Amino acid sequence: MRYSKKDLKIRVDYNNMMASVIGRSQGITETELDSISSEISKAYNFVAAGSGIGMMGWTKLATGQDDVVEDILATAKQIRRNFEYFVVLGIGGSALGPIAAFKAINHLHYNDLKKSKRKGPKFYVEDNVDPERMAALLDVIEPEKTMFNVVTKSGSTSETMTQYLIINDILVKALGDKARDHIIATTSKSKGNLIKIAAREGYKTFYIPDGVGGRFSELCPVGLLPAAVLGIDIKGLLQGAAFMQEQCESAFVKRNPALMTAALMYLAMTKHGKNISVMMPYADGLQFVADWYAQLWAESLGKNKTLSGHACNVGQTPVKALGVTDQHSQVQLYTEGPFDKVITFLAVDKYRCEVAIPEGCKDIPDVNFLSGHTMNELIKAEQLATEYAVTKAGKLNYTINLPELNEFTLGQLLMLFMMETAYCGALLGIDAFNQPGVEEGKNATYALLGRRGYEDKKAELDNAPKKQNRFII
């Protein structure tokens, strides 16, 4: 499908971050932005120089995957023809990206549609190890009619491999040697446990490039295979991402949307005390993009050491909200609470359908005024009204406008956030692509479950301060 760059270019409106609009007591002045121009240039050059190198391999995903994409499309066609269910076994970026794309592009009640309307298998993502969740999944699928996509780069992710062990056992008992036809592995090509298992068992395999971490993996087979199975135009998704990358090639901050938002967020964090980032989409389809963003922002920027080894403890806590829903649960805090947040609104100009509000309740003007309008007008008015309310209260916010929600605009949005994260990490002087804090928890889990090689960590846990009964009620 061809997409119009002119008509479908997403727009970043940062008026309400600026002192000239929101007031000098909270807003960022143009002088302040100019004062960090050298830091902005260094951040731009750092990201540009690292593009495609090391853990920045994700910057090359929007182009150069032609053969992989064709393989994915052919595999997806076979899956749609032969299977009733498609289940992703994964956690973190392996799950959040596919869920975000699924919810953004597909029917909001996709699994509830008749097969003739779905035109693809029912879709589930098993992204936790709650035993009740696994039992519930097995209650609604038929394993012998299911394709399972096991996604882990290392093949040592305890949660994913637990899911795999359970599902593989079920499949082998039911299907014997044919179990291999129900599992696709998405993993590292050169190292790890899953690639060894896949080779031994004969699984169809897709590869996660070495320079692509989980939270940056939606545009590689991790996200592209599930999307293609669900009928999402993955070429359009990549085209949108490539279009955003084109814009991010500009070293001029006012022409590079990701560089601008990164600079503003950096100033908000370091100079204005804004340690919370609220992501508030005004479209149910974008609800899980906020979930995906939360991992990207938190895991990338929450660090206690700079690249030079100095202690820092930086980062910004992401919070997920949904307009209009959370106007009735969180916006009271955003308008009248502490001045510690930046709110990012995601707005859609044109929804994929229009629902009219019919005439009724003529004797009750407070209800009848809605008649003659549409739900489209109402949600847009709610978004603008909330933006006005928090701006009037002096709370920093900006809006990303999508002309409509489709594969091309979604690709732009995902790449915008990934590039913004890279630039912001460079401005903070930290490694935005590692997650040592996560590793500590993983190692403790391995030790508690008796994994070989973690005896010292087990001893450390055994010697940790014991809980005191007097502090338990």
Side-chain angles (χ1 to χ4, degrees):
M1 183 183 296
R2 297 188 64 181
Y3 298 91
S4 168
K5 293 181 178 180
K6 178 182 177 181
D7 295 335
L8 293 176
K9 180 181 182 294
I10 67 175
R11 310 180 308 280
V12 178
D13 178 354
Y14 59 93
N15 271 276
N16 298 336
M17 297 289 285
M18 306 305 295
S20 57
V21 174
I22 206 164
R24 296 184 68 87
S25 65
Q26 298 296 324
I28 296 168
T29 67
E30 292 185 75
T31 300
E32 191 176 7
L33 195 57
D34 290 340
S35 73
I36 63 163
S37 59
S38 64
E39 289 146 271
I40 294 172
S41 293
K42 287 178 183 177
Y44 171 83
N45 290 332
F46 179 86
V47 173
S51 181
I53 301 171
M55 290 309 295
M56 285 190 65
W58 55 271
T59 58
K60 300 298 183 182
L61 292 176
T63 56
Q65 293 192 90
D66 291 350
D67 291 343
V68 175
V69 166
E70 293 306 320
D71 190 4
I72 286 172
L73 290 172
T75 302
K77 185 177 180 180
Q78 292 176 352
I79 292 170
R80 285 197 302 273
R81 184 167 59 238
N82 297 320
F83 295 91
E84 298 291 328
Y85 311 89
F86 185 82
V87 177
V88 170
L89 305 178
I91 200 163
S94 302
L96 291 168
I99 293 171
F102 167 56
K103 293 292 186 178
I105 304 301
N106 289 93
H107 191 286
L108 291 175
H109 295 286
Y110 172 88
N111 280 353
D112 297 324
L113 294 173
K114 294 180 179 179
K115 185 178 179 180
S116 59
K117 290 189 175 182
R118 275 190 285 111
K119 298 180 181 179
K122 291 187 177 182
F123 181 62
Y124 300 94
V125 179
E126 191 68 7
D127 63 340
N128 208 340
V129 288
D130 182 335
E132 294 185 19
R133 185 188 183 104
M134 177 59 75
L137 174 71
L138 295 172
D139 281 341
V140 297
I141 67 168
E142 300 166 84
E144 66 277 9
K145 298 180 181 180
T146 305
M147 176 61 80
F148 295 91
N149 183 201
V150 187
V151 187
T152 166
K153 191 173 185 179
S154 67
S156 62
T157 306
S158 297
E159 299 87 354
T160 305
M161 297 313 293
T162 292
Q163 297 163 1
Y164 164 75
L165 289 169
I166 292 168
I167 293 301
N168 186 58
D169 182 65
I170 292 170
L171 290 173
V172 169
K173 288 176 178 176
L175 301 171
D177 290 342
K178 292 184 179 180
R180 67 170 60 93
D181 299 328
H182 291 253
I183 293 177
I184 293 175
T186 304
T187 188
S188 170
K189 185 176 184 178
S190 58
K191 56 189 175 182
N193 299 315
L194 185 53
I195 188 62
K196 297 174 185 175
I197 295 170
R200 184 185 70 203
E201 300 295 333
Y203 299 149
K204 171 68 177 176
T205 307
F206 288 100
Y207 303 116
I208 305 171
D210 288 341
V212 178
R215 56 191 181 273
F216 293 90
S217 66
E218 175 57 19
L219 299 178
C220 79
V222 169
L224 296 182
L225 175 61
V229 169
L230 296 165
I232 294 171
D233 177 13
I234 60 174
K235 290 184 178 180
L237 192 70
L238 293 171
Q239 287 168 19
F243 179 45
M244 178 53 65
Q245 274 196 304
E246 289 175 19
Q247 298 170 66
C248 293
E249 289 175 0
S250 175
F252 184 38
V253 67
K254 291 187 177 180
R255 293 180 183 170
N256 184 328
L259 189 59
M260 175 59 81
T261 54
L264 292 170
M265 292 297 263
Y266 169 72
L267 286 171
M269 278 186 266
T270 61
K271 307 297 183 184
H272 292 257
K274 313 304 182 189
N275 62 353
I276 297 172
S277 172
V278 178
M279 181 63 60
M280 193 168 188
Y282 273 77
D284 277 42
L286 291 170
Q287 180 178 3
F288 288 90
V289 169
D291 287 63
W292 171 84
Y293 166 84
Q295 185 207 13
L296 177 71
W297 200 244
E299 204 165 69
S300 298
L301 302 185
K303 301 294 161 63
N304 66 4
K305 286 185 180 180
T306 65
L307 286 168
S308 58
H310 295 107
C312 60
N313 295 109
V314 298
Q316 195 180 42
T317 302
V319 173
K320 302 170 289 185
L322 177 64
V324 169
T325 302
D326 287 312
Q327 288 175 207
H328 298 269
S329 64
Q330 298 181 32
V331 168
Q332 171 62 34
L333 173 67
Y334 301 162
T335 53
E336 296 190 359
F339 290 84
D340 58 356
K341 303 171 189 68
V342 177
I343 304 166
T344 304
F345 295 109
L346 301 182
V348 176
D349 295 340
K350 182 182 178 182
Y351 292 84
R352 289 172 289 208
C353 67
E354 183 174 284
V355 177
I357 304 172
E359 186 66 37
C361 299
K362 290 184 178 181
D363 58 330
I364 307 175
D366 290 348
V367 175
N368 183 255
F369 83 96
L370 295 166
S371 300
H373 292 289
T374 65
M375 292 186 78
N376 307 58
E377 291 176 278
L378 177 59
I379 194 169
K380 188 63 178 179
E382 299 254 23
Q383 178 247 314
L384 293 172
T386 304
E387 178 188 332
Y388 172 77
V390 296
T391 301
K392 183 179 179 182
K395 306 302 171 64
L396 293 184
N397 66 91
Y398 72 97
T399 301
I400 300 174
N401 294 281
L402 284 72
E404 60 186 70
L405 180 51
N406 60 29
E407 290 90 338
F408 188 74
T409 57
L410 179 64
Q412 290 180 69
L413 186 64
L414 297 181
M415 185 56 75
L416 170 67
F417 286 141
M418 290 190 287
M419 292 298 296
E420 176 191 34
T421 301
Y423 289 136
C424 203
L427 284 163
L428 290 168
I430 52 95
D431 185 343
F433 309 109
N434 67 356
Q435 52 274 341
V438 176
E439 297 306 316
E440 178 64 22
K442 286 184 178 180
N443 293 339
T445 300
Y446 298 153
L448 288 169
L449 291 177
R451 180 175 171 181
R452 189 166 55 188
Y454 289 82
E455 292 80 9
D456 289 346
K457 179 60 67 175
K458 180 62 166 63
E460 178 187 323
L461 289 164
D462 290 342
N463 291 322
K466 306 300 180 186
K467 292 188 177 181
Q468 301 177 45
N469 288 333
R470 64 196 181 100
F471 295 138
I472 300 174
I473 299 174

